[in-house]
Structure formats: structure tokens, C-alpha cells
């Protein structure tokens, strides 16, 4: 290895001189003082003072309880047969009622009252009709029980209206099939006014015992 030159050896043997480090403080920077003096703003205090005007007088407020909601009306209960007989009114046929079959249903009919039945095809308003399927006729003291019908008995009625019942919602749904259908249906009906009951007098009757006499 060749020897190093003398200049390089002299440079390498010189001691290293460390420069003293200067630490900057806030006191040494005049601009920092100004910044601190501006930033150090005292907190503002708000003081509420009463107005010069006099306070308004106190007003008494009365508490009104809310009115109770109207109670829900109870569903109407059909009257018993005795009450219907009493409400039929005075007259020759006031103490008589009959059971008549119209279509596949049975109805209790009394003179002066009206009933709703299934639609009678071919019947118009104000038409007079006769119902011959009379299953029973009853008066105050006798009962005419048909086997199955009372022979020659007839119920006279007048067609007052051809209408329809209230709407019924028909809803079909199948889960997990994305299938649902909503339909409305109103069943046609006929309103009949009962005018009289006749033809039962010759049929065999069963006496009705008075419970008070027994």
C-alpha cells in the first residue's frame, strides 16, 4: 500500500471543532411577543341587566281537561221474538208470525215488517209476490207446524228495493310466491215488505199453553 501524502495526514490529525448550538427562545424573538400579546385575549363576560320597562303582570291560566272521547257503540243485538211481536203494532195480524224459506235460508216474517233476502231474479220494485214455502205459522194461542210445509199457507210481500250488501274484501296471498290478490264483492239482495199471512186456518193446529195458567 503506498504511503499517504503529508497534506492528507496533517488534515486528518486536526482536532474537530464543534460549533456551539444556539437555542431560540420566545423572549429572543420580538415578533413572538407581539403574537402572544395578541393571542392572550381575556375572556368576555356577559352580564344580564334588567330592562328599564316594568315586567308584565302575571296572567293566570286555567287548565282544561280534554273531553273524553265518545265510547264506542256496542254492536246491535237482535231483538227476541217476543219483542218483535210486541213491536209489530196493533191490528188484526199483530199477533201472528211465520217462518218462511226463501232459497236455502229461513226467515221469521211478521206483517208490517221488512226483511233482506238474497236477490230475487225477475222481480221489480213494487211487484207483489207470494211465498209458498211456509214452515210454521204461530198466533197467540195456536201453532201451525208444517211437515215439512203448512199446506195452502202463503206469505204476501211487496218488493221495495233491489240493492247490494256492504262490500266484503277478498284477499288472497301465497308466501314465497310473490302472489297476492285483493278483490271487493257486494252481494246482491232484495228488500221485501211483508203485507200479510193467509191460508193457514184449515191446517191442523197445536194449542199453545199459557205458562201463567199452568
Amino acid at each position: 500500500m503506498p504511503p499517504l501524502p503529508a497534506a492528507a495526514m496533517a488534515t486528518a490529525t486536526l482536532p474537530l471543532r464543534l460549533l456551539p448550538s444556539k437555542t431560540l427562545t420566545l423572549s429572543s424573538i420580538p415578533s413572538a411577543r407581539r403574537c402572544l400579546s395578541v393571542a392572550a385575549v381575556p375572556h368576555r363576560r356577559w352580564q344580564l341587566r334588567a330592562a328599564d320597562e316594568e315586567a308584565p303582570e302575571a296572567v293566570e291560566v286555567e287548565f282544561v281537561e280534554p273531553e273524553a272521547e265518545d265510547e264506542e257503540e256496542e254492536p246491535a243485538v237482535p231483538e227476541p221474538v217476543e219483542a218483535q211481536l210486541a213491536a209489530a203494532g196493533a191490528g188484526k195480524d199483530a199477533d201472528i208470525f211465520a217462518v218462511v224459506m226463501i232459497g236455502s235460508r229461513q226467515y221469521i216474517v211478521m206483517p208490517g215488517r221488512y226483511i233482506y233476502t238474497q236477490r230475487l231474479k225477475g222481480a221489480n220494485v213494487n211487484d207483489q209476490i207470494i211465498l209458498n214455502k211456509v214452515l210454521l205459522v204461530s198466533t197467540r194461542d195456536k201453532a201451525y207446524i208444517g211437515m215439512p210445509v203448512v199446506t195452502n199457507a202463503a206469505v204476501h210481500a211487496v218488493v221495495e228495493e233491489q240493492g247490494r250488501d256492504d262490500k266484503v274484501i277478498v284477499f288472497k296471498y301465497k308466501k314465497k310466491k310473490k302472489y297476492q290478490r285483493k278483490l271487493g264483492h257486494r252481494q246482491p239482495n232484495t228488500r221485501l215488505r211483508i203485507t200479510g199471512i193467509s191460508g193457514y186456518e184449515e191446517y191442523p193446529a197445536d194449542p199453545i199453553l199459557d205458562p201463567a195458567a199452568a
Side-chain angles (χ1 to χ4, degrees):
M1 180 176 179
L4 293 175
M9 295 179 61
T11 305
T13 57
L14 289 177
L16 297 178
R17 297 178 62 185
L18 299 177
L19 296 177
S21 60
K22 295 183 179 181
T23 304
L24 299 179
T25 59
L26 295 177
S27 59
S28 62
I29 303 176
S31 60
R33 295 180 181 178
R34 290 195 296 269
C35 296
L36 289 177
S37 60
V38 173
V41 178
H43 296 285
R44 296 184 180 181
R45 297 181 180 179
W46 298 93
Q47 183 177 4
L48 298 178
R49 297 181 180 179
D52 297 337
E53 299 179 359
E54 296 181 357
E57 298 179 357
V59 180
E60 297 182 358
V61 179
E62 297 181 359
F63 177 74
V64 180
E65 297 182 358
E67 298 180 358
E69 298 181 356
D70 298 339
E71 297 181 358
E72 297 181 359
E73 298 181 356
E74 297 181 358
V77 179
E79 300 177 356
V81 177
E82 292 78 6
Q84 295 183 19
L85 289 174
K92 183 178 69 174
D93 297 333
D95 298 338
I96 183 175
F97 72 93
V99 177
V100 62
M101 177 174 285
I102 303 176
S104 60
R105 299 182 180 181
Q106 300 178 8
Y107 302 88
I108 298 177
V109 297
M110 289 169 282
R113 306 294 290 272
Y114 65 87
I115 59 173
Y116 283 98
T117 67
Q118 57 188 3
R119 175 63 62 88
L120 301 179
K121 296 182 179 180
N124 300 322
V125 180
N126 297 330
D127 286 354
Q128 297 182 1
I129 61 175
I130 298 175
L131 306 174
N132 295 323
K133 291 185 179 181
V134 181
L135 306 181
L136 179 142
V137 179
S138 178
T139 61
R140 285 295 180 181
D141 54 353
K142 293 181 181 181
Y144 303 85
I145 303 174
M147 295 183 301
V149 296
V150 178
T151 308
N152 299 328
V155 175
H156 303 267
V158 177
V159 179
E160 286 191 343
E161 181 184 356
Q162 293 280 20
R164 293 189 296 175
D165 293 337
D166 296 336
K167 180 180 289 187
V168 178
I169 301 300
V170 181
F171 185 78
K172 299 181 180 180
Y173 173 78
K174 295 181 181 180
K175 63 179 181 178
K176 301 180 181 179
K177 299 295 182 181
K178 296 183 179 180
Y179 174 87
Q180 62 179 14
R181 296 292 183 271
K182 183 178 181 181
L183 303 175
H185 175 72
R186 298 184 65 185
Q187 182 70 20
N189 60 17
T190 302
R191 174 171 169 168
L192 300 178
R193 175 73 64 174
I194 307 301
T195 57
I197 302 171
S198 63
Y200 60 90
E201 293 83 357
E202 298 180 359
Y203 193 83
D206 296 330
I208 298 178
L209 300 179
D210 189 359

